């Protein structure tokens, strides 16, 4: 659970710091989100990408523990792909640092879940 909280905070801070990049705010004003044009679909997809880690925090508390471990591995794999793809073509050092730490935390989520799943005889 704590790892998902850390991941969400890293996503938020990386996005907030992006507003200080030269020309970034004007792209936002003109409806650009990275290489994408902002529309309902891109905002829905982006919202889901941020909602899932938040929901994982809640599910880690309320759901059957073995199911949570499986879910951590599955969702962790998806986010590992997302985190890696976010770094393709990136040149800003702060964003690369955040991205690498996000990847490491996601791998830690997956490793922890896999080990705990194997250790529990349920």
């Amino acid at each position: 659970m704590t790892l998902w909280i850390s991941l969400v905070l890293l996503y938020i801070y990386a996005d907030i710091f992006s507003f200080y990049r030269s020309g970034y705010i004007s792209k936002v004003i003109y409806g650009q989100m990275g290489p994408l044009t902002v529309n309902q679909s891109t905002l829905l997809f982006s919202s889901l990408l941020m909602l899932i880690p938040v929901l994982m925090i809640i599910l880690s508390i309320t759901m059957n523990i073995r199911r949570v471990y499986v879910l951590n591995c599955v969702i962790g794999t998806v986010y590992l792909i997302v985190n890696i793809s976010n770094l393709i073509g990136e040149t800003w050092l702060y964003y690369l640092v955040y991205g690498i730490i996000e990847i490491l935390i996601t791998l830690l989520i997956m490793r922890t879940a896999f080990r705990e799943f194997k250790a529990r005889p349920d």
Side-chain angles (χ1 to χ4, degrees):
M1 176 177 66
T2 305
L3 293 172
W4 284 110
I5 294 169
S6 299
L7 199 57
V8 168
L9 290 173
L10 288 171
Y11 289 152
I12 291 168
Y13 276 108
D15 287 346
I16 289 170
F17 290 149
S18 291
F19 284 111
Y20 291 95
R21 289 163 73 157
S22 179
Y24 189 86
I25 292 177
S26 62
K27 288 180 183 177
V28 171
I29 290 170
Y30 288 106
Q32 288 299 121
M33 185 187 307
L36 305 172
T37 300
V38 175
N39 58 40
Q40 287 198 42
S41 297
T42 55
L43 288 178
L44 176 62
F45 182 73
S46 300
S47 296
L48 291 175
L49 276 177
M50 292 303 99
L51 282 172
I52 291 170
V54 172
L55 292 175
M56 285 305 297
I57 298 164
I58 297 165
L59 292 176
S60 295
I61 297 169
T62 61
M63 209 170 143
N64 172 285
I65 195 69
R66 283 186 61 86
R67 288 185 183 148
V68 169
Y69 294 147
V70 171
L71 205 52
N72 277 329
C73 288
V74 171
I75 292 176
T77 301
V78 171
Y79 276 80
L80 187 60
I81 294 166
V82 169
N83 292 334
I84 291 169
S85 67
N86 282 342
L87 295 183
I88 295 173
E90 184 58 57
T91 59
W92 286 77
L93 188 56
Y94 83 95
Y95 203 85
L96 292 170
V97 169
Y98 270 89
I100 290 167
I101 293 171
E102 290 166 3
I103 289 168
L104 293 174
I105 289 175
T106 304
L107 288 170
L108 186 56
I109 289 169
M110 295 167 62
R111 187 190 81 171
T112 303
F114 184 73
R115 282 187 177 177
E116 289 296 322
F117 183 83
K118 281 181 30 179
R120 289 188 176 258
D122 299 339

